[in-house]
Amino acid sequence: LLPSPARSVRFGPSQEVLGEDKLLAILKERELKIYWGTATTGKPHVAYFVPMSKIADFLKAGCEVTIRFADLHAYLDNMKAPWELLELRTRYYEHVIKAMLESIGVPLEKLKFVRGTDYQLSKEYTLDVYRLSSVVTQHDAKKAGAEVVKQVEHPLLSGLLYPGLQALDEEYLKVDAQFGGVDQRKIFTFAEKYLPSLGYAKRVHLMNPMVPGLTGSKMSSSEEDSKIDLLDRKEDVKKKLKKAFCEPGNVENNGVLSFIKHVLFPLKSEFVVLREEKWGGNKTYTAYEALEKDFAEQVVHPGDLKNSVEVALNKLLDPIREKFNCPELKKLSSAAYPTPSKAKPGEKGTKNSEPEDVVPSRLDIRVGKVISVEKHPDADSLYVEKIDVGEAEPRTVVSGLVHFVPKEQLQDRLVVLLCNLKPQKMRGVESQGMVLCASSVGEPRQVEPLDPPAGCCAGERVYVEGYEGGEPDEELKPKKKVFEKLQADFRVSEDCVAQWKQKNFLTKLGTVSCKSLKGGSIS
């Protein structure tokens, strides 16, 4: 509760506020002017409901709210939005953000919408960019953008300009405060440090928490498995939630629980777990803490939780889907986010065919946790393992590791699992994946399962450096031999790091490695 002349104003919970004293001083005199910006890059996803619900709070509190579509920022951030698509993507964002706001009952007439290029290409703004660049160090610019700007081996100058433009926007939009995710904190402190050096006032900064993705990492437009798009079909929502990390009793890095906490509860003030009568029937929670406690004590099953989220989420998405189910917006969506060219044998750009490029992003590789290990009933050299990869049920995997890895060394360990091979029976037991292992080059043959970085969770995606953004094939077709072609270039480096063409296998926590087999192959 924040005092103002004749009332108390409720903003709702925020992760953090920088400049609270200044905020209170402004509210004693007048309404707060605040802006929220979004770079028009990848398609907005369901985590955008977090700032949308907060914008609703600001409007209820009487604030003047501006939404800025950061089209120029989208280009500066490692060209996430190509110049030729910039206008189309900005129009797409305008339509989809407005549809989101309408779906949760936010009156659009109370909001002001602007594009960055409406004022960022002016003479005055450009001169201020030059003025700012004369006082900002390269170190501070890089540090400010570390959590927001895409980090690459050879960063472009454009990424260093990005934080400065965001700081200047506070002055040119004539606001008292900027609102954003907690990942923006370094840009906010950058703005507080450098705007006064140009003679401009220091602003207030409010932050909302970041919603973990379905794989346990930050929900990101560039990581397909971590997010649910606003226009995903109901069957896509079901499929993604089915694959989401939601280990029984585990409330840490649980993307499904986090989505309920940060999106569904703030919007509805309650959450209903749907389940059959024989399992206790439906239960309504009016406090998130009670739901989390029941899940931790395994009163609530992951399958029931996912099904309930699916129903609640589709209710939010249905109005947005309906709005975009018109020829004009369908055309805009296709033009702003064109499907990558695909080809039939001997042709180029033909629709409904397999991707032409054989690249690592086509492999669905995930961190898995071995739940159980047993000897195969009909094969002395094979184990039958149950491996949790963040889905509703663990996968059954058959591995030829009996002569190389003792059973007790596999039990409860983290492994790296290839998940989109076509399931096949191995001596009567269907195997639903492949445990990736390093193998020695010479004799006697040695084999070591690849090790994800410490702290990883089951279901986290494993990718090859530089191929983070692609979407894996639903199932690798055996005749195409995609895995075999890629596997030919899998190697273990002299530092025991797993690589493809000298590019590291990675998770969000670091490199994938093996214990000791330098220079070995991977299969």
Side-chain angles (χ1 to χ4, degrees):
L1 292 177
L2 299 172
S4 64
R7 69 213 176 282
S8 291
V9 179
R10 184 179 184 275
F11 286 100
S14 293
Q15 178 90 357
E16 187 178 2
V17 178
L18 301 177
E20 188 169 346
D21 290 343
K22 184 170 185 176
L23 175 64
L24 293 170
I26 293 169
L27 289 171
K28 288 177 182 177
E29 302 295 328
R30 56 174 172 80
E31 306 292 4
L32 188 75
K33 298 177 181 178
I34 189 168
Y35 99 87
W36 174 78
T38 180
T40 54
T41 52
K43 286 185 177 180
H45 45 72
V46 294
Y48 278 60
F49 276 114
V50 175
M52 296 304 102
S53 65
K54 185 57 61 180
I55 286 169
D57 286 343
F58 292 145
L59 289 174
K60 289 174 187 174
C63 298
E64 296 179 23
V65 182
T66 297
I67 292 180
R68 183 214 57 192
F69 297 106
D71 46 356
L72 193 55
H73 282 77
Y75 181 72
L76 292 176
D77 187 1
N78 211 46
M79 294 181 287
K80 283 183 181 177
W83 192 260
E84 63 273 14
L85 296 179
L86 211 55
E87 167 67 18
L88 292 167
R89 291 195 176 176
T90 303
R91 284 170 49 204
Y92 178 88
Y93 262 70
E94 288 177 357
H95 283 288
V96 83
I97 293 295
K98 289 177 181 179
M100 287 185 77
L101 290 164
E102 288 173 331
S103 78
I104 60 173
V106 176
L108 299 186
E109 63 272 13
K110 291 187 176 182
L111 290 163
K112 180 182 178 183
F113 296 92
V114 299
R115 296 186 183 191
T117 49
D118 289 343
Y119 59 90
Q120 289 170 341
L121 301 178
S122 69
K123 177 181 177 181
E124 294 77 15
Y125 190 95
T126 303
L127 286 174
D128 269 346
V129 172
Y130 286 134
R131 290 174 63 206
L132 195 61
S133 67
S134 71
V135 294
V136 173
T137 66
Q138 185 255 8
H139 172 271
D140 283 0
K142 186 175 181 180
K143 179 183 176 183
E147 301 296 325
V148 178
V149 179
K150 184 176 181 181
Q151 300 301 296
V152 294
E153 187 176 356
H154 301 292
L156 301 174
L157 178 59
S158 59
L160 299 177
L161 294 174
Y162 188 112
L165 269 64
Q166 188 167 333
L168 286 173
D169 289 344
E170 297 178 350
E171 173 65 24
Y172 279 79
L173 292 172
K174 302 302 179 186
V175 294
D176 306 307
Q178 184 179 173
F179 165 61
V182 73
D183 61 338
Q184 305 269 340
R185 193 182 195 282
K186 291 178 181 177
I187 290 182
F188 291 166
T189 56
F190 172 93
E192 291 185 358
K193 177 179 179 179
Y194 282 108
L195 276 188
S197 69
L198 299 187
Y200 297 141
K202 183 189 296 188
R203 264 65 178 190
V204 177
H205 297 99
L206 300 96
M207 286 162 270
N208 65 257
M210 302 304 297
V211 177
L214 300 177
T215 57
S217 59
K218 170 185 169 183
M219 193 173 287
S220 168
S221 295
S222 62
E223 188 179 342
E224 188 62 31
D225 281 349
S226 80
K227 68 186 176 78
I228 293 174
D229 284 335
L230 297 169
L231 300 182
D232 272 350
R233 301 171 302 167
K234 290 186 177 182
E235 51 265 43
D236 294 325
V237 172
K238 181 183 287 291
K239 182 177 72 173
K240 289 181 178 181
L241 282 170
K242 185 178 179 182
K243 293 168 66 175
F245 172 72
C246 192
E247 186 179 48
N250 186 353
V251 299
E252 299 296 326
N253 296 315
N254 187 321
V256 179
L257 271 178
S258 295
F259 184 77
I260 296 169
K261 178 180 180 179
H262 296 299
V263 177
L264 297 179
F265 257 105
L267 290 174
K268 300 294 183 182
S269 300
E270 67 175 29
F271 182 74
V272 181
V273 174
L274 306 171
R275 55 191 178 189
E276 298 178 30
E277 287 298 328
K278 65 180 179 180
W279 303 119
N282 296 352
K283 183 171 181 180
T284 300
Y285 291 89
T286 56
Y288 170 77
E289 292 73 18
L291 172 62
E292 184 180 273
K293 181 175 182 290
D294 277 1
F295 186 83
E297 295 174 357
Q298 300 192 35
V299 175
V300 175
H301 188 273
D304 293 330
L305 196 71
K306 290 182 178 184
N307 291 337
S308 305
V309 168
E310 180 186 343
V311 171
L313 180 55
N314 279 319
K315 286 181 181 178
L316 285 175
L317 297 182
D318 278 342
I320 304 172
R321 295 181 183 123
E322 184 178 351
K323 183 167 184 176
F324 272 75
N325 194 30
C326 68
E328 180 188 352
L329 292 184
K330 282 182 177 179
K331 184 179 178 181
L332 173 61
S333 182
S334 297
Y337 298 93
T339 304
S341 295
K342 299 181 178 182
K344 290 179 180 178
E347 297 180 354
K348 289 189 177 180
T350 307
K351 205 174 179 181
N352 300 324
S353 57
E354 289 298 308
E356 185 177 15
D357 293 337
V358 179
V359 292
S361 55
R362 293 181 63 182
L363 304 180
D364 182 4
I365 307 176
R366 298 184 227 165
V367 175
K369 182 177 181 180
V370 180
I371 305 300
S372 66
V373 190
E374 301 294 339
K375 284 280 194 74
H376 193 295
D378 298 318
D380 291 340
S381 64
L382 301 178
Y383 285 130
V384 178
E385 303 126 1
K386 293 288 186 182
I387 301 181
D388 177 12
V389 289
E391 297 172 339
E393 300 294 334
R395 293 195 180 204
T396 300
V397 178
V398 180
S399 302
L401 296 174
V402 170
H403 299 312
F404 303 102
V405 185
K407 177 180 173 180
E408 57 272 15
Q409 288 186 16
L410 278 178
Q411 182 67 47
D412 296 325
R413 78 175 286 165
L414 293 180
V415 294
V416 176
L417 194 73
L418 178 61
C419 294
N420 59 342
L421 289 173
K422 184 178 180 179
Q424 59 177 333
K425 287 194 174 182
M426 298 179 70
R427 301 291 293 271
V429 178
E430 185 177 78
S431 182
Q432 300 169 315
M434 176 192 290
V435 177
L436 295 181
C437 299
S439 300
S440 61
V441 178
E443 296 294 338
R445 188 180 178 215
Q446 295 176 272
V447 176
E448 297 173 356
L450 295 183
D451 293 314
C456 283
C457 295
E460 284 186 34
R461 189 177 176 194
V462 177
Y463 54 88
V464 172
E465 182 180 3
Y467 293 87
E468 298 92 331
E471 185 174 1
D473 290 13
E474 183 71 24
E475 182 178 279
L476 297 172
K477 303 295 186 285
K479 290 183 179 180
K480 299 286 184 180
K481 296 192 179 299
V482 173
F483 173 69
E484 290 80 359
K485 291 174 183 176
L486 292 165
Q487 188 263 337
D489 291 305
F490 286 1
R491 292 287 183 275
V492 179
S493 74
E494 291 304 307
D495 298 322
C496 289
V497 174
Q499 296 183 330
W500 175 77
K501 292 188 175 180
Q502 297 183 318
K503 294 183 180 292
N504 295 341
F505 281 50
L506 299 167
T507 73
K508 62 186 177 70
L509 293 181
T511 56
V512 173
S513 60
C514 69
K515 187 177 179 182
S516 63
L517 300 180
K518 299 178 181 179
S521 60
I522 297 172
S523 59

